[in-house]
Amino acid sequence: MALTLIGAIVLILIAVVVIGMQSFNTRIEKERIILFTSDKTANEKITENDLDALPDLIKNYLIKTKVLGKSKYCNLIFTQKGQIKTHPKKGWLSFTATQYMSSNTSGFIWKAQALPMLIRDKYINQKGEVKVSLLGLKNVVLFSGPKVDQSSLGRYFGELIWFPIGFLDPDIAWEDVNDKTVKGTIIKGDLSLTGYFYFDKNGMIDSFRTKRYRNTTLEDFVGKVGAYQNYDGLLVPNKMTAIWDLKDGKLEYFKADIIEYKLENSMP
């Protein structure tokens, strides 16, 4: 009798967890549809004319990453495995994640599993939000508001290195700094954010720097990339490391490798 009761309780707990995780993923799927749906034509291809107004560093970089001939309005899905550090005094937490990006609506969704935690970070329609849920059953972290909007826009801007088609966004103004640095200013709604892209001797971006909010404080954020590889016809880095460049030293807090990578046409 006792074993039967224990078995029933275990089955109920499993069912609750499954329902919680399904509910979490269902909400993200609805957000993905919003991000991916567009009335822009997927048949419009990127040509050299689209690159003419760009600084030479960005123009040559985009040619090297093989954006020419790709759909100007498309979506990206890629999966990652990596580690994240939620506090300087805590250890690394392993995760697997799927990220969605789009050149239609200039946004991203990042969903990750670091069991028992489920994480969703997003920037859609000029709004950012960070959510951490316990198995999809209860939110333990939910951040939104102007500072999150700014920080999420900064993440989106830097991670265009993974989605170079997004560099053609007309809301980005480019300016040469020197022969290895370009400044980009992206304006979305009421937000304006400036980032610096640094190039190596081969003309490929190897790092990015901007200001993002860490909790409630605006700090220097640096993204460094790994080796470039061909993924679905684009040349993009196979990994990225995120670092807070703080007054008392650098804090490496995120590192991820690409596992799978796929471009998709816009959804009607």
Side-chain angles (χ1 to χ4, degrees):
M1 183 69 177
L3 290 176
T4 301
L5 180 59
I6 292 172
I9 292 173
V10 169
L11 289 175
I12 290 171
L13 290 175
I14 292 173
V16 169
V17 169
V18 169
I19 292 171
M21 294 180 70
Q22 286 180 340
S23 176
F24 185 86
N25 288 323
T26 296
R27 289 192 292 271
I28 293 176
E29 177 61 16
K30 291 178 180 178
E31 293 170 343
R32 183 194 69 84
I33 292 172
I34 293 172
L35 179 66
F36 278 11
T37 302
S38 173
D39 57 0
K40 299 173 182 176
T41 174
N43 296 323
E44 189 172 347
K45 305 300 182 183
I46 298 171
T47 69
E48 291 191 17
N49 290 336
D50 295 310
L51 312 183
D52 282 346
L54 299 173
D56 285 344
L57 278 173
I58 291 289
K59 178 180 179 178
N60 293 332
Y61 168 77
L62 292 180
I63 292 172
K64 290 177 180 179
T65 58
K66 303 180 179 180
V67 303
L68 293 177
K70 299 296 188 297
S71 176
K72 188 181 297 186
Y73 304 110
C74 61
N75 304 311
L76 168 65
I77 302 173
F78 63 99
T79 58
Q80 307 165 320
K81 67 175 180 180
Q83 294 179 301
I84 190 168
K85 183 176 288 190
T86 58
H87 190 277
K89 295 184 179 181
K90 292 185 178 180
W92 289 97
L93 185 65
S94 296
F95 68 81
T96 58
T98 299
Q99 181 151 322
Y100 307 102
M101 300 185 77
S102 179
S103 59
N104 300 300
T105 53
S106 303
F108 75 89
I109 301 168
W110 186 75
K111 69 171 183 176
Q113 290 187 10
L115 294 176
M117 298 302 172
L118 305 180
I119 308 164
R120 194 273 283 115
D121 191 1
K122 72 173 182 177
Y123 177 77
I124 302 178
N125 294 331
Q126 303 170 14
K127 296 295 182 182
E129 186 180 81
V130 179
K131 178 192 294 185
V132 180
S133 172
L134 178 62
L135 294 172
L137 301 173
K138 181 180 179 180
N139 292 335
V140 294
V141 171
L142 185 60
F143 294 138
S144 61
K147 292 182 179 179
V148 177
D149 297 343
Q150 191 274 352
S151 189
S152 297
L153 179 59
R155 173 173 177 169
Y156 167 75
F157 199 17
E159 293 189 359
L160 289 180
I161 300 170
W162 267 329
F163 188 43
I165 293 168
F167 281 120
L168 296 173
D169 188 333
D171 292 334
I172 304 174
W174 297 103
E175 179 183 342
D176 283 315
V177 176
N178 54 47
D179 61 353
K180 289 188 177 180
T181 310
V182 171
K183 180 174 78 171
T185 300
I186 184 169
I187 299 175
K188 296 293 180 182
D190 296 330
L191 282 179
S192 175
L193 181 138
T194 296
Y196 294 84
F197 294 85
Y198 302 91
F199 294 75
D200 63 19
K201 62 182 180 180
N202 298 313
M204 306 302 286
I205 294 173
D206 63 11
S207 63
F208 166 79
R209 177 181 288 267
T210 190
K211 292 279 191 180
R212 294 181 63 195
Y213 280 98
R214 180 172 179 258
N215 299 321
T216 59
T217 305
L218 201 59
E219 302 282 6
D220 287 321
F221 168 85
V222 177
K224 293 189 174 182
V225 305
Y228 280 78
Q229 292 182 205
N230 192 309
Y231 294 98
D232 203 11
L234 285 176
L235 201 62
V236 298
N238 61 1
K239 63 180 62 180
M240 187 179 292
T241 301
I243 302 164
W244 290 113
D245 192 358
L246 307 173
K247 293 179 181 178
D248 56 353
K250 294 183 179 181
L251 173 63
E252 183 177 301
Y253 76 97
F254 174 94
K255 46 191 177 183
D257 296 80
I258 290 180
I259 307 302
E260 296 180 349
Y261 186 103
K262 184 175 177 56
L263 292 171
E264 292 188 346
N265 289 334
S266 304
M267 296 170 57

